[in-house]
Amino acid sequence: IYALNIGEINQNENTFDVVGNAVYAENSYTHVLNNTIKNMDGSAIFFRNKTILQNSRTLFAVFARMHVKDNTFEGTMPHAIYGFGQLEAETNIFKNRNANSPTIWVRELGPNSYVYDNDFEPQLNATTHVTMTVPAIKLERASAPYRGMKLDVEKNTINRYRSGIELTNPQGYIGSVASLQYRQVNVYDNKVYNTNIAANQGMVYGIRLQHANGADVTYNVIERLDNVTTSSGRATFERGIALSQTQNAQIVYNNVKTHGNGIWSAGNLKGTFYGCNYLDATYYGFYFLPPSGGSNTIISTQGYSYFPSGNMWIDPASSVGSFDRVAGQVDNMKTPKWYFNQGAVTNAQ
């Protein structure tokens, strides 16, 4: 089915309550607009593409496309949006969910997808959200697309999730590294807030990228809102931004506050640049996983003598000088330089 509308903007909304799925779509381009969906037995919205075979050969395959706009999801449901294909999710509200599963989860993400200006509100019981070990937004592929794909995750506000945004296997540019000016994967201007976190409740990520070559992670805010001072112990499970096996990415102009690790990295990170990030009261500003932690972390030189990396580290008043700006270990044959400002002077380490 092409361009099927379920609901209409500026019209009376539909309400779906206590059913299996509010919307189940296969091989379709579906618009879900201005509905209230709550207390589902299954995923509120499920979509997928389905290949039709004949004599063990593909007869035809239609890639699913789901557009979800101006809906309110609330109450108990395994997922608000779950599927396989292209997702366009914008200006939705997800509130009072009480399920240990991602709110938005696309298992095999299609090209030209976006998740824009959605509001993820606190869980049903504000004291139990810390047991959530899954993200608000989880977008993944089994393998990176050969020629890159367009994906934008922008201007979302995420409250009280243990993990905000997780991306696995997007490809951030088309063709060679020379085409990096045409970055395809953008994580921009999102706000991720969490609180009431303890070590025995699992890992914490604001933004997590795995195999996301060429991604642009810019102007995001990741903050813990409680008054607990960060420490080396909290660095074992708190990661504001986490990268693994992600080359030629840009991690710039982000603000991470009161996390054990401001920006945590592992694996092959050649060509990835960390610039002008503001790391406030993070025990480790940057942490690079050493071989003893299971990774040979490789990075490139950061900045130049005439153009330093421009990151800023702020220690809390009670711990001035006791936090590490850059820690861990890189495994390059020749250790790269890291250019930074110290007053009016540019230095390198």
Side-chain angles (χ1 to χ4, degrees):
I1 300 175
Y2 184 80
L4 170 67
N5 282 14
I6 300 175
E8 292 288 345
I9 302 297
N10 299 322
Q11 299 293 324
N12 292 333
E13 64 181 26
N14 299 306
T15 299
F16 299 86
D17 193 356
V18 193
V19 295
N21 306 102
V23 178
Y24 184 106
E26 286 188 353
N27 295 351
S28 301
Y29 178 21
T30 309
H31 300 272
V32 183
L33 311 170
N34 189 35
N35 302 282
T36 294
I37 304 173
K38 54 187 178 180
N39 299 321
M40 297 289 104
D41 294 330
S43 299
I45 295 176
F46 177 87
F47 67 103
R48 68 176 179 177
N49 52 295
K50 188 174 183 180
T51 301
I52 307 301
L53 300 176
Q54 187 177 70
N55 298 326
S56 299
R57 301 179 65 179
T58 299
L59 185 61
F60 67 88
V62 180
F63 211 74
R65 182 177 176 184
M66 178 62 68
H67 179 212
V68 185
K69 180 178 181 179
D70 289 348
N71 301 280
T72 298
F73 300 81
E74 62 179 299
T76 301
M77 58 189 71
H79 311 276
I81 302 172
Y82 177 77
F84 305 76
Q86 179 181 347
L87 175 64
E88 303 161 355
E90 56 183 315
T91 55
N92 299 286
I93 297 173
F94 305 90
K95 64 181 183 180
N96 295 339
R97 287 196 65 245
N98 187 17
N100 197 25
S101 53
T103 297
I104 295 177
W105 189 8
V106 182
R107 298 285 299 276
E108 191 64 30
L109 186 68
N112 301 314
S113 292
Y114 61 84
V115 181
Y116 176 80
D117 195 21
N118 299 282
D119 187 7
F120 298 79
E121 296 185 358
Q123 304 302 305
L124 182 64
N125 182 340
T127 64
T128 62
H129 71 270
V130 293
T131 62
M132 296 279 290
T133 58
V134 291
I137 301 169
K138 185 173 184 177
L139 308 175
E140 59 185 354
R141 294 178 57 90
S143 60
Y146 175 69
R147 292 190 57 81
M149 62 181 293
K150 180 66 174 172
L151 169 62
D152 295 308
V153 182
E154 299 184 354
K155 295 185 178 296
N156 299 285
T157 300
I158 300 171
N159 287 290
R160 297 184 175 181
Y161 280 73
R162 293 191 58 79
S163 185
I165 299 165
E166 293 193 8
L167 308 181
T168 302
N169 274 325
Q171 180 73 290
Y173 51 85
I174 297 175
S176 68
V177 175
S179 66
L180 277 172
Q181 64 268 33
Y182 306 109
R183 291 180 183 273
Q184 299 290 292
V185 174
N186 300 289
V187 183
Y188 174 80
D189 194 21
N190 299 283
K191 295 176 175 59
V192 182
Y193 303 112
N194 51 46
T195 186
N196 294 346
I197 297 170
N200 64 351
Q201 294 162 333
M203 297 298 299
V204 175
Y205 300 98
I207 297 171
R208 185 184 188 191
L209 303 182
Q210 302 177 88
H211 300 275
N213 292 347
D216 191 357
V217 181
T218 308
Y219 289 113
N220 299 284
V221 174
I222 301 164
E223 183 175 356
R224 199 178 76 233
L225 299 178
D226 56 37
N227 293 318
V228 177
T229 301
T230 194
S231 64
S232 59
R234 303 191 74 85
T236 62
F237 64 92
E238 286 181 347
R239 299 170 184 174
I241 298 174
L243 307 177
S244 61
Q245 303 293 352
T246 295
Q247 302 177 53
N248 300 304
Q250 286 191 147
I251 314 300
V252 295
Y253 296 107
N254 299 288
N255 186 330
V256 182
K257 184 175 181 180
T258 326
H259 278 65
N261 296 279
I263 300 176
W264 181 98
S265 302
N268 189 345
L269 305 163
K270 286 183 178 179
T272 290
F273 176 66
Y274 306 88
C276 300
N277 296 288
Y278 188 87
L279 307 171
D280 187 354
T282 58
Y283 189 83
Y284 297 126
F286 294 89
Y287 186 84
F288 298 97
L289 188 66
S292 60
S295 173
N296 292 325
T297 301
I298 301 172
I299 68 171
S300 299
T301 289
Q302 299 296 306
Y304 304 93
S305 59
Y306 56 87
F307 185 76
S309 55
N311 299 288
M312 183 176 292
W313 296 264
I314 305 297
D315 289 349
S318 60
S319 305
V320 173
S322 63
F323 288 6
D324 286 332
R325 295 181 176 185
V326 181
Q329 180 182 344
V330 294
D331 194 43
N332 301 49
M333 294 292 290
K334 182 178 180 181
T335 302
K337 291 184 178 180
W338 191 298
Y339 291 92
F340 63 95
N341 287 332
Q342 188 170 5
V345 181
T346 297
N347 292 311
Q349 286 186 342

